[in-house]
Amino acid sequence: MNRLNTPIQFIKGVGPKRAKLLRKINIETVKDLLYYFPRAYDDRRKTDKIINVRNGEKANLKVIVVGSPSIVKPKKSLSIVKVPVRDETGLAFLIWFNQEYIKKQFKIGEVLKVSGKVKRVFNEIQIQNPIFEREGENEKIGKIVPIYPLTKNLKNGDMVKLVRNVLDEYLYYIEDIMPEYIKEKYNLCSIYTAISNIHFPKDRYSYIEAKRRLVFEELFILQLGLRLIRNKYVENSQGIRFLQVNEIDELISSLPFELTNAQKRVYKEICLDMESNRPMNRLVQGDVGSGKTIIAVLAMFKAVKSGYQAVMMAPTEILATQHYENVSNLLERFGIKVSLLVGSMSSKKKKEILDKIREGTIDIVIGTHALIQKNVKFHKLGLAITDEQHRFGVRQRAILSQKGLNPDVLVMTATPIPRTLALILYGDLDISIIDELPPGRKKVKTYVVNSSMKKRVYDFIKREINKGRQAYIVCPLIEESDTLDLQSAIKLYEELKNNIFKNLRLGLLHGKLSATEKDVIMAKFKNREIDILVSTTVIEVGVNIPNANIMVIENAERFGLSQLHQLRGRVGRGEHQSYCILINESRSKISIERMKIMEKSNNGFEISEKDLEIRGPGEFFGTKQHGLPDLKIANLFTDIKMLKIAQKEVFQLLKEDPFLELPKHSSLKQKIYEIFEEKLNDISLN
């Protein structure tokens, strides 16, 4: 067994109880601990003078004990140990609460190094609950001390001790996978120096060098893995060469609207892919309402007219049904057979459709996860499309594309993410962006209010519903929480239904409902049988309801900007002026800044850049759902230069060695397997 995989429980000083705490922060093995990096550092090297200390700030002092420790008991449950100390500039007191045993540890005249928070109480300078050591010792003070993200009952001192022990015993079992020539080219330190110094840097320079090496490796490995997948599926596979289809002009001229320049550009990029002999692997990113679906329709038309079948997978039955209706209306006049396949169909109906798909009498199939079941077999699949890609894992996308022999793959998402981040998350895809909305689309008016304005908000909703409109009200939680003071969907639904809107028809939608229950409620809302839909974020991606023109979001401060923008995109789809009302309960500077961005901008790409800047990439767009490894140290916003350098180096490396077959790349190949094989289930570098 690789010694780095030793369970953390068997390390000296851990045991079952502490191992349970460590598991809460995802530390299960020695390797997990070595790669569990500090979140900050406490620099205890600099010594302050008592005269210069500031209230509320941390101070590192060298002092002499000038009097006997005393114990004060201001009340029954509280005892305070006070030790008078001084340096050449003034007098201070070391203070401990409810730790009477500490009194015996001090002698008058001894010199101490102390570090702790300063508190001015009346005219006294106190250093409260400080750490201390005697002169000559150099364990805790005089160094840079790492501060780790912790969980309840796990102390930073315990983590520091544990990491130090593990570094001493296991550091050199780590394999330095980075080829020597790359380390030399970019002046990168060894992995041993990097891991050691990221935990216990001697100075700022050693920290920067350690971080630089680890950030480079993380971004380099991620990009290398994704490019290898791309090589496997695209550049080294024989794809379908689709025909140039003249009838496409007839389809475009039959549309009830004119394509935007962005749509024309993206369709041209797709045509070039489809007409080449490499399999297409393209992501189409477009803001809510930018017209991605028509691009998918044009691509499917091209595939069918070239003699192939096409498939389109959506995350919910109601969205699949909506796509089916739109595609059928546009294409059936051209003699194209379109069919729907969803889980709620009867067995008899499903069998009938599956037979026709296998025989090739159905040209286009639109459906949900039902499409990736084993019993779905195509006669001649040429094009596979997934809509709202972030709802599907990489593996599901791969299963769909394996239904044919190297079909072209088109992936669509309405989640506008900065191009740089898209290059990371979808590094195995080419990227097209529809960055223009159709003309004449009305901007959704956005207002930020606090809960004192709720009555006015509800009165406004009533007025709009009396005019025949509909509204969404979105909450962050399904049920009430003991720990969070947030609005819950169930509680709010009951309150609104029984009191404020008792004469209106309300519906409740949340993630604990089954897919069928969700679809029934959304269908009722679409058919105007529900006036107000109280929901959690499950409606973030969903059906087109032009009559709904109000979106109220409770506890808006709890959502990311991009998520707020997605939710806002549920309205503004019809002829009526639409409104988004954000109920923000936070007065923090960041929260106010974020709400101002929502009021000012309706541009999803602009908002996503701001979101990434404010919240950082970890929260902004978790990579787990993409089947990709989490970034432990790299920050996609601040490390953009390093990302570009890593990408450039990956391209050069793969030009020389497309499948990592050279001996100098054997460690890299092994690492790629370790990270990507299980997650993507699909990479083969033979």
Side-chain angles (χ1 to χ4, degrees):
M1 182 179 89
N2 184 335
R3 291 202 63 194
L4 294 175
N5 295 329
T6 303
I8 201 71
Q9 181 174 334
F10 303 122
I11 299 305
K12 188 184 170 189
V14 179
K17 200 174 173 185
R18 193 168 282 167
K20 198 175 175 185
L21 293 175
L22 290 166
R23 275 197 289 276
K24 284 185 181 177
I25 49 175
N26 299 318
I27 297 174
E28 302 209 9
T29 65
V30 163
K31 186 181 178 186
D32 293 337
L33 183 66
L34 288 170
Y35 280 85
Y36 192 74
F37 302 135
R39 62 174 174 80
Y41 299 87
D42 182 8
D43 191 348
R44 298 177 187 164
R45 293 172 302 163
K46 185 173 152 272
T47 304
D48 306 301
K49 298 291 179 192
I50 289 173
I51 199 170
N52 296 327
V53 299
R54 292 186 179 186
N55 191 35
E57 291 186 5
K58 214 160 188 181
N60 301 317
L61 302 169
K62 187 176 177 182
V63 293
I64 187 166
V65 178
V66 291
S68 299
S70 61
I71 296 178
V72 184
K73 291 193 173 181
K75 56 184 177 180
K76 198 175 178 183
S77 59
L78 179 65
S79 68
I80 302 170
V81 175
K82 292 180 81 171
V83 181
V85 295
R86 77 161 45 249
D87 65 10
E88 64 271 27
T89 68
L91 179 72
F93 291 88
L94 309 183
I95 301 287
W96 285 270
F97 300 99
N98 293 334
Q99 295 179 59
E100 292 186 25
Y101 67 89
I102 216 159
K103 176 187 172 185
K104 297 172 185 171
Q105 296 185 23
F106 302 99
K107 292 175 189 167
I108 295 171
E110 68 179 340
V111 177
L112 301 175
K113 289 184 283 183
V114 300
S115 180
K117 202 167 186 179
V118 177
K119 190 88 176 165
R120 286 187 179 266
V121 180
F122 302 114
N123 290 326
E124 245 178 40
I125 294 172
Q126 297 183 352
I127 315 297
Q128 296 190 346
N129 294 318
I131 54 162
F132 68 93
E133 61 191 27
R134 286 160 184 83
E135 195 172 33
E137 296 172 354
N138 196 16
E139 288 298 310
K140 305 170 191 161
I141 301 167
K143 293 180 175 182
I144 297 171
V145 177
I147 311 293
Y148 293 94
L150 301 168
T151 186
K152 195 179 175 185
N153 298 326
L154 188 63
K155 293 177 182 166
N156 194 66
D158 297 335
M159 279 292 284
V160 170
K161 207 177 284 182
L162 189 56
V163 172
R164 209 182 282 281
N165 290 345
V166 166
L167 275 174
D168 287 346
E169 193 174 341
Y170 292 92
L171 178 62
Y172 289 95
Y173 288 103
I174 298 174
E175 186 182 6
D176 197 338
I177 58 163
M178 200 57 69
E180 286 301 322
Y181 73 92
I182 291 180
K183 284 192 284 189
E184 283 172 24
K185 184 174 178 181
Y186 295 104
N187 195 21
L188 300 172
C189 64
S190 75
I191 195 66
Y192 314 110
T193 304
I195 293 288
S196 187
N197 284 338
I198 203 71
H199 288 289
F200 300 106
K202 291 186 268 308
D203 49 37
R204 182 170 169 75
Y205 176 78
S206 62
Y207 162 74
I208 288 168
E209 286 302 289
K211 189 179 178 194
R212 192 168 154 269
R213 159 65 202 256
L214 293 166
V215 167
F216 182 90
E217 182 174 310
E218 200 163 58
L219 296 174
F220 181 81
I221 290 295
L222 190 57
Q223 289 300 291
L224 183 58
L226 291 169
R227 293 305 298 191
L228 281 164
I229 296 164
R230 182 196 187 93
N231 284 0
K232 171 81 172 69
Y233 285 128
V234 183
E235 284 150 19
N236 294 287
S237 300
Q238 190 63 35
I240 300 162
R241 212 174 248 245
F242 291 91
L243 306 174
Q244 287 188 354
V245 177
N246 295 327
E247 283 174 278
I248 204 89
D249 295 332
E250 194 185 329
L251 170 58
I252 290 170
S253 59
S254 74
L255 297 173
F257 51 83
E258 196 172 325
L259 295 179
T260 63
N261 288 331
Q263 284 172 317
K264 287 174 187 171
R265 184 189 69 244
V266 169
Y267 178 60
K268 193 176 176 184
E269 287 167 355
I270 289 168
C271 280
L272 288 171
D273 280 352
M274 291 181 76
E275 287 163 19
S276 82
N277 60 0
R278 295 183 322 155
M280 172 169 72
N281 230 13
R282 185 167 290 277
L283 169 73
V284 174
Q285 245 193 296
D287 212 339
V288 175
S290 62
K292 294 178 299 302
T293 308
I294 193 60
I295 298 297
V297 170
L298 295 175
M300 289 191 286
F301 184 86
K302 187 178 182 72
V304 172
K305 290 297 176 182
S306 300
Y308 291 88
Q309 290 169 296
V311 61
M312 185 176 184
M313 183 163 74
T316 65
E317 289 202 3
I318 196 154
L319 193 54
T321 305
Q322 181 177 285
H323 282 322
Y324 165 68
E325 288 166 1
N326 291 340
V327 175
S328 300
N329 291 339
L330 289 167
L331 298 186
E332 280 184 342
R333 56 177 286 210
F334 291 92
I336 292 174
K337 298 277 184 293
V338 184
S339 188
L340 180 69
L341 183 67
V342 290
S344 63
M345 284 176 164
S346 69
S347 300
K348 188 185 172 189
K349 180 73 175 164
K350 264 189 208 162
K351 187 181 181 307
E352 186 189 316
I353 292 166
L354 289 170
D355 289 344
K356 287 182 177 177
I357 295 170
R358 193 169 53 251
E359 291 158 8
T361 52
I362 287 175
D363 301 307
I364 293 174
V365 194
I366 294 169
T368 54
H369 291 78
L371 291 166
I372 56 176
Q373 303 306 316
K374 281 183 181 173
N375 59 350
V376 182
K377 292 187 169 54
F378 287 83
H379 176 66
K380 199 180 179 185
L381 180 63
L383 175 66
I385 300 176
T386 54
D387 187 25
E388 297 305 346
Q389 161 59 20
H390 70 292
R391 292 298 174 101
F392 296 111
V394 182
R395 194 172 298 174
Q396 289 162 314
R397 191 173 91 212
I399 293 168
L400 186 63
S401 67
Q402 283 163 7
K403 296 282 180 185
L405 189 65
N406 286 335
D408 279 12
V409 172
L410 192 61
V411 171
M412 302 198 300
T413 180
T415 308
I417 53 177
R419 188 176 183 90
T420 342
L421 192 50
L423 286 169
I424 283 283
L425 295 172
Y426 303 107
D428 58 326
L429 301 169
D430 291 309
I431 296 174
S432 291
I433 296 177
I434 305 177
D435 51 6
E436 183 184 357
L437 289 177
R441 199 176 153 116
K442 286 180 183 172
K443 185 180 174 182
V444 178
K445 291 183 179 176
T446 304
Y447 303 96
V448 179
V449 300
N450 59 32
S451 52
S452 67
M453 299 277 283
K454 272 194 184 180
K455 188 183 180 302
R456 285 177 65 181
V457 171
Y458 293 153
D459 288 344
F460 176 67
I461 290 173
K462 284 175 191 171
R463 286 199 301 275
E464 287 296 307
I465 288 171
N466 287 336
K467 291 179 194 172
R469 305 290 79 76
Q470 290 164 284
Y472 294 95
I473 300 180
V474 175
C475 304
L477 296 179
I478 298 173
E479 293 158 346
E480 276 192 87
S481 162
D482 294 331
T483 52
L484 293 169
D485 183 22
L486 300 175
Q487 189 65 266
S488 86
I490 293 172
K491 184 187 169 200
L492 185 64
Y493 169 74
E494 295 296 338
E495 187 188 315
L496 297 177
K497 184 173 174 255
N498 298 327
N499 299 310
I500 294 149
F501 299 123
K502 57 186 175 189
N503 298 323
L504 298 174
R505 298 163 302 171
L506 273 70
L508 175 64
L509 190 70
H510 56 73
K512 284 190 178 175
L513 299 174
S514 69
T516 310
E517 287 170 323
K518 286 179 200 165
D519 285 339
V520 166
I521 291 163
M522 282 308 291
K524 280 186 175 178
F525 193 50
K526 188 181 182 186
N527 298 333
R528 302 193 188 186
E529 293 166 40
I530 290 173
D531 300 310
I532 300 171
L533 185 62
V534 180
S535 172
T536 57
T537 56
V538 290
I539 53 108
E540 181 187 346
V541 170
V543 72
N544 189 18
I545 300 177
N547 190 52
N549 74 326
I550 298 175
M551 168 63 68
V552 176
I553 303 173
E554 296 272 354
N555 294 109
E557 72 279 2
R558 300 292 301 184
F559 298 91
L561 288 179
S562 292
Q563 199 174 26
L564 289 174
H565 180 65
Q566 283 292 301
L567 290 166
R568 175 169 63 183
R570 294 298 100 216
V571 296
R573 293 166 167 260
E575 56 185 301
H576 312 288
Q577 176 60 57
S578 289
Y579 306 88
C580 178
I581 299 161
L582 304 173
I583 300 174
N584 177 48
E585 300 298 347
S586 170
R587 293 180 185 175
S588 79
K589 192 180 170 188
I590 285 183
S591 183
I592 290 162
E593 185 189 337
R594 291 168 71 240
M595 295 304 132
K596 278 182 184 167
I597 292 164
M598 287 301 297
E599 279 186 317
K600 282 181 196 166
S601 179
N602 265 59
N603 181 314
F605 289 96
E606 196 178 284
I607 287 167
S608 72
E609 288 281 4
K610 288 284 182 191
D611 207 9
L612 182 60
E613 190 177 337
I614 291 168
R615 293 199 299 158
E619 277 185 81
F620 172 79
F621 210 82
T623 50
K624 270 185 182 155
Q625 61 190 313
H626 293 267
L628 300 181
D630 280 334
L631 296 175
K632 292 181 186 297
I633 195 164
N635 178 311
L636 297 176
F637 191 74
T638 56
D639 295 323
I640 215 76
K641 282 183 184 169
M642 190 63 91
L643 170 66
K644 286 175 181 169
I645 292 166
Q647 280 177 333
K648 187 180 168 190
E649 192 57 42
V650 163
F651 291 145
Q652 286 181 354
L653 184 150
L654 291 178
K655 206 182 263 186
E656 179 196 1
D657 186 10
F659 292 101
L660 306 185
E661 285 158 346
L662 297 176
K664 64 181 177 180
H665 296 144
S666 61
S667 295
L668 278 177
K669 184 173 179 175
Q670 199 177 332
K671 181 76 171 176
I672 294 293
Y673 261 108
E674 184 190 311
I675 293 178
F676 285 88
E677 189 173 45
E678 184 196 346
K679 306 232 181 201
L680 301 188
N681 200 33
D682 236 12
I683 185 166
S684 170
L685 308 180
N686 298 331

